[in-house]
Amino acid sequence: MGATAVYPGSFDPPTLGHLSLVERGLAIFDRLIVAVAVNPEKGGLFTPGERVELLSESLLDRFPGGRLEIDRFEGLTVDYARRRGAAAILRGLRATSDFEFEFRMAMMNRHLDDGIHSVFLMADHQWFYISSSTVKEAASLGADISDLVPGPVARRLRGKFPAKG
Ligand code: ADP
């Protein structure tokens, strides 16, 4: 069997930046597990269950063939990755802002388990400046964000924040 990677994140909500990373991850790894990291202390706009649903609705049709799985986990990412038999943790890098944080996380994860490798990919350039938080903020102010997120996410955001004007 080939290599499996875990792509962990908040995904609150999933954006087209996340989808771009999944597409690129699947070009490298045989199996990719997109996993919602559940942090009971960190609320969010969507519940972990809703995020899993949104990821499934946004991804499973687009990437058929059984190489992609959507899951959720609590606790350390390296523990989850080990449990799932993954060789790598996939993370994304956007224009400069992510580097410091991702570097520290990767070093901590390596300290915890030297056998699980952090792999960083960049999304397609049009998503360099897109984050879940800016999408949420714009949507909450009534902006049309339908070209930044998958269809199911746009629909759910419109339900939460009716468009203005
Ligand atoms: P977290 O709270 O774990 O950072 P996110 O859902 O915000 O969760 O992000 C998950 C991963 O996806 C992170 O590695 C982040 O850098 C990456 N990511 C998010 N948006 C983009 C994007 N537009 N382009 C590239 N990577 C991204």
Side-chain angles (χ1 to χ4, degrees):
M1 208 180 81
T4 297
V6 166
Y7 176 25
S10 307
F11 303 109
D12 184 38
T15 68
L16 293 181
H18 292 126
L19 262 62
S20 172
L21 222 66
V22 167
E23 183 174 12
R24 288 171 184 279
L26 280 170
I28 300 177
F29 294 100
D30 296 295
R31 243 161 59 81
L32 188 64
I33 305 170
V34 181
V36 174
V38 180
N39 181 348
E41 268 145 51
K42 224 161 101 182
L45 182 62
F46 295 99
T47 66
E50 286 176 317
R51 297 178 210 175
V52 167
E53 262 171 45
L54 287 171
L55 284 167
S56 304
E57 289 168 19
S58 307
L59 283 166
L60 293 179
D61 287 352
R62 210 177 286 222
F63 302 104
R67 294 199 297 129
L68 181 67
E69 186 189 330
I70 316 296
D71 194 13
R72 58 194 276 175
F73 71 99
E74 265 186 66
L76 289 171
T77 306
V78 285
D79 288 343
Y80 175 74
R82 202 183 307 117
R83 215 161 55 235
R84 299 304 316 269
I89 294 170
L90 175 66
R91 296 282 290 177
L93 288 178
R94 280 162 292 197
T96 69
S97 57
D98 289 322
F99 181 78
E100 267 298 317
F101 176 74
E102 294 293 341
F103 186 83
R104 273 188 276 127
M105 287 260 295
M107 287 303 128
M108 176 54 87
N109 286 337
R110 180 180 286 175
H111 172 75
L112 295 173
D113 189 333
D114 199 23
I116 294 179
H117 303 281
S118 293
V119 172
F120 298 94
L121 291 175
M122 279 161 277
D124 292 356
H125 65 87
Q126 67 265 44
W127 317 124
F128 268 12
Y129 297 97
I130 300 304
S131 67
S132 298
S133 51
T134 52
V135 163
K136 274 187 287 197
E137 189 175 354
S140 75
L141 298 171
D144 177 11
I145 42 65
S146 53
D147 51 353
L148 304 177
V149 295
V153 175
R155 279 193 290 283
R156 208 74 73 90
L157 281 172
R158 272 198 296 275
K160 281 200 192 276
F161 307 115
K164 298 232 167 81

